[in-house]
Amino acid sequence: MSLRLRNADDQRITGAFEVHTSQTAAMMIPNSELVPGTYNAEARIGQGEAVEWEFTVSDNQIPEPGLGGPILVIGSDSVVFDDFYAEILRAEGLTSFTTTEAANLTRDILFSHQVAILAEPVLDNALMPIIEDWLERGGNLIAVRPSGELAALSGLMPASSTLDDAYLRIDTSAPPGQGLVGETIQFHGTADIVSTTPDIRTIATLFSDATSSAIAPALTIRPIGTAGGEIAAFTFDLARSVVLLGQGNLEWAGQERDGLDPIRPNDLFFGGTGDNAEPDFVDLNKVAIPQADEQMRMLSNLITHMMRDTAPLPRFWYFPKGAKALLVMAADDHGTRDRTNQSFDRMLVLGPENCDVANWECARATSWMERSSGMSDRQAAGYVDQGFDIGGHASTHCHDWSGYTLTRAFFEDLLDFRLVFPSVPPQQGSRFHCIVWSDYASQPHIERGWGIRYDMNYYYWPKDWIDGRAGFMTGSGLPMRFSDEQGRLIDVYQQETHLVDEVFSSSFEAVEALIDRALGPEAYCGAFGTHYDFHNPFDVQLMDLATDRGVPLVSAQQMLDWTDGRNGSNFGDVRWEESTLSFAVRTDPRTGRMLEGMLPLQFSGETLQEIRREGEAIAFRSETIKGIGYGFFDAVTGAYTATYLQR
């Protein structure tokens, strides 16, 4: 078999070429990444007739410009992880935003928004008068590590020194810190040690370690003018901190640190062994706290607080139907002969009779199987028709990979799986065998090329390191996209596998405590990834726990569809006039009727009294989340009004 590939300019594309062992497919890995455009391919087997076709490579752009709304994210080429501020807003349900670059910022763009996040630490001097005028007229600016004139406007003195990879503590005595975690939590990256002018308030303070205050602010806020304008300043890069908390130490990429071959994601967090050991990148004494999520909630609380006299800010809840915890059930079936069938069959009787899979009323799961897992193609198709998720379990046989060998593993194993299970749709989730992770971000890049967009390789392990402490290795319970070393978002979601059978089956009380903290007053909410391979009863233990606590059991595919749908929904046409908020909700069909909107219960001395959709009054429930009271309502597409009145 031969393959010829040319671009739109008729230039030949060269690369490595390999035929699958089945002789039914071939793979070509170009020597350089294909740029967006149209390509012509010609394949020939032996002396047979050539087959030609065209295909298009899209730019695969994540919707960075945003869906529009009151929030503006101002990025910068000088800030590596600036794109991640948009990802944080999406995760926090604040999907009504627009993005621009600092170099493209104009007066008209700025004045069309009520709050802006500025990742650029130094602005062009010509923009400073525009910023100041906007603030004087009631605008709200969140500046990240500001310096020069921007720092002076924020009330910060020039930095005297810096602090790397340390801790911060939030002031929980008043908004916007009220309701957030009150003990110290880690941040990663560099923070500026600054002093402040007397007219600012410190919302969070830097700590040099878990107990020693650096006597310097991590987050401040300062009033500007008389129209309600404010400027808040982070002295560290929040987006960088969230990325590194979630994906681990960039400097440790490609290193075997825990002494257990091969290199895995936990090596990006493991301090090492022997005389050269360093502190773990995740403080396991803090692992019960979703440290990245609490920092993101500090930002979302801050935005809501800064808009307290502008307009009530609507947002979406994290999970369907108000859920605070759910289990992403995912098995790695290594040819166990009928154990996936048995586990699926047990789930079929857990839900209510005639339960609705699309409405998440039924227990469902994923199984990544080998071709010898004991299931026929007909059986697999039957389970898929009932809402289960089935795919192949790719492998390099527990060896560290290169870009080529990883690509080859997906090529061989996913095609092998499809040859045995032709009736099963292409998978969109994956957990690699032995969770091999040989560098920082190649795996999600390569997965995306195979149609995989939900990655569960970040696996909380090994048992001796964890020592019974259930929690958040990545600091998060929320699926969020990966970022590469240059700060570019990859359209693949990272779902931590928080609950690993070989770690927690024998200490299940730690799992129960983790779920109780999600459901309880701490509100450490999360989609908790699981792993089981049927060598113990962990899947049954999880099912029993979910039944007892009322926690949904869902597949990786369900979580991918939900997350895409939630991120693709937004609030538009938000207007505040005479105690009435009017807005439109546009929901992505993948959320079904499970998406919940949230409106602050209190605004400018008034209380939420009524919500109407298309003129009809709808019910809402009241709940305090992270110190802020919200009215929760079913968010379906339509035009809404919310009325606030004096009590």
Side-chain angles (χ1 to χ4, degrees), residues 97-226:
F97 63 86
T98 304
T99 63
T100 189
E101 291 292 305
N104 300 326
L105 184 64
T106 66
R107 181 185 182 87
D108 287 346
I109 292 174
L110 184 60
F111 272 74
S112 65
H113 295 85
Q114 287 75 53
V115 60
I117 301 169
L118 177 61
E120 172 64 80
V122 180
L123 273 181
D124 186 315
N125 287 340
L127 290 173
M128 287 303 300
I130 297 173
I131 291 281
E132 293 184 50
D133 186 25
W134 177 69
L135 289 168
E136 291 281 353
R137 294 171 184 260
N140 301 284
L141 181 66
I142 300 169
V144 179
R145 295 190 71 192
S147 59
E149 292 185 35
L150 194 58
L153 185 62
S154 304
L156 305 183
M157 304 299 183
S160 60
S161 59
T162 57
L163 181 65
D164 294 325
D165 296 333
Y167 294 76
L168 62 88
R169 187 170 68 190
I170 302 166
D171 177 5
T172 60
S173 65
Q178 192 170 15
L180 299 175
V181 63
E183 62 181 275
T184 56
I185 56 176
Q186 289 178 278
F187 73 88
H188 285 304
T190 299
D192 298 315
I193 301 296
V194 298
S195 56
T196 63
T197 57
D199 60 339
I200 76 164
R201 179 163 72 90
T202 297
I203 297 170
T205 305
L206 296 173
F207 275 62
S208 55
D209 57 40
T211 59
S212 304
S213 175
I215 317 177
L219 173 61
T220 63
I221 191 167
R222 183 190 192 194
I224 303 290
T226 59

Side-chain angles (χ1 to χ4, degrees), residues 481-540:
R481 291 182 177 91
F482 284 97
S483 181
D484 68 14
E485 299 91 330
Q486 289 76 43
R488 296 170 300 194
L489 289 178
I490 306 168
D491 195 19
V492 175
Y493 293 105
Q494 178 199 48
Q495 167 68 64
E496 182 185 342
T497 298
H498 303 83
L499 302 174
V500 175
D501 52 352
E502 62 224 76
V503 175
F504 291 113
S505 182
S506 59
S507 55
F508 200 73
E509 64 280 356
V511 177
E512 295 171 328
L514 179 71
I515 300 303
D516 289 342
R517 288 192 294 271
L519 301 176
E522 301 92 339
Y524 292 160
C525 305
F528 298 102
T530 69
H531 168 274
Y532 45 93
D533 57 12
F534 307 117
H535 75 280
N536 57 39
F538 196 55
D539 61 325
V540 175

Side-chain angles (χ1 to χ4, degrees), residues 307-636:
M307 289 193 64
R308 67 193 180 278
D309 54 6
T310 304
L313 183 64
R315 59 187 292 196
F316 294 120
W317 180 243
Y318 301 108
F319 304 120
K321 299 185 291 187
K324 294 181 179 177
L326 52 91
L327 298 180
V328 184
M329 299 290 283
D332 294 350
D333 187 337
H334 305 119
T336 54
R337 303 298 300 177
D338 299 325
R339 293 301 302 274
T340 288
N341 309 49
Q342 293 167 18
S343 187
F344 284 179
D345 289 344
R346 191 175 193 275
M347 287 187 176
L348 287 172
V349 300
L350 284 182
E353 190 174 357
N354 299 318
C355 64
D356 184 353
V357 175
N359 204 36
W360 285 27
E361 295 173 357
C362 316
R364 290 298 181 261
T366 291
S367 184
W368 290 305
M369 304 189 304
E370 297 177 4
R371 57 191 302 168
S372 59
S373 293
M375 189 182 294
S376 69
D377 177 55
R378 182 177 179 181
Q379 285 176 307
Y383 283 122
V384 169
D385 288 344
Q386 295 178 87
F388 291 93
D389 177 33
I390 296 173
H393 192 40
S395 173
T396 52
H397 308 288
C398 299
H399 296 304
D400 293 323
W401 42 253
S402 65
Y404 173 76
T405 58
L406 178 61
T407 301
R408 188 177 186 277
F410 281 119
F411 171 61
E412 289 285 348
D413 294 341
L414 297 191
L415 183 55
D416 277 349
F417 184 83
R418 291 203 57 73
L419 292 172
V420 177
F421 298 100
S423 302
V424 173
Q427 69 193 76
Q428 291 186 282
S430 176
R431 184 165 50 219
F432 208 69
H433 181 52
C434 284
I435 49 171
V436 189
W437 197 268
S438 299
D439 62 22
Y440 203 72
S442 289
Q443 184 142 183
H445 267 304
I446 290 171
E447 284 176 328
R448 186 67 186 88
W450 293 98
I452 291 168
R453 297 192 47 249
Y454 206 80
D455 180 285
M456 293 186 68
N457 283 294
Y458 270 68
Y459 188 91
Y460 187 36
W461 179 91
K463 184 175 183 178
D464 290 346
W465 180 50
I466 292 168
D467 194 25
R469 293 170 286 196
F472 305 84
M473 181 180 74
T474 64
S476 183
L478 304 177
M480 297 180 71
R481 291 182 177 91
F482 284 97
S483 181
D484 68 14
E485 299 91 330
Q486 289 76 43
R488 296 170 300 194
L489 289 178
I490 306 168
D491 195 19
V492 175
Y493 293 105
Q494 178 199 48
Q495 167 68 64
E496 182 185 342
T497 298
H498 303 83
L499 302 174
V500 175
D501 52 352
E502 62 224 76
V503 175
F504 291 113
S505 182
S506 59
S507 55
F508 200 73
E509 64 280 356
V511 177
E512 295 171 328
L514 179 71
I515 300 303
D516 289 342
R517 288 192 294 271
L519 301 176
E522 301 92 339
Y524 292 160
C525 305
F528 298 102
T530 69
H531 168 274
Y532 45 93
D533 57 12
F534 307 117
H535 75 280
N536 57 39
F538 196 55
D539 61 325
V540 175
Q541 291 173 289
L542 293 170
M543 292 183 213
D544 291 344
L545 171 64
T547 301
D548 181 59
R549 302 291 202 279
V551 172
L553 297 169
V554 299
S555 70
Q557 184 65 53
Q558 284 177 296
M559 275 307 304
L560 171 60
D561 290 341
W562 164 260
T563 306
D564 272 345
R566 179 177 175 269
N567 286 348
S569 303
N570 83 313
F571 296 93
D573 307 321
V574 180
R575 296 188 301 276
W576 173 253
E577 188 175 358
E578 297 182 355
S579 299
T580 298
L581 181 75
S582 60
F583 57 94
V585 174
R586 304 181 185 94
T587 58
D588 186 288
R590 287 169 290 189
T591 63
R593 294 183 65 89
M594 301 186 293
L595 187 63
E596 287 196 326
M598 304 160 63
L599 285 171
L601 287 174
Q602 305 295 325
F603 177 75
S604 192
E606 298 180 330
T607 302
L608 179 64
Q609 295 292 308
E610 179 183 72
I611 304 176
R612 289 181 175 269
R613 180 193 308 123
E614 306 293 349
E616 297 290 329
I618 62 172
F620 67 91
R621 60 181 174 84
S622 301
E623 187 170 353
T624 298
I625 301 295
K626 294 300 173 182
I628 300 176
Y630 290 99
F632 282 71
F633 62 96
D634 291 337
V636 298

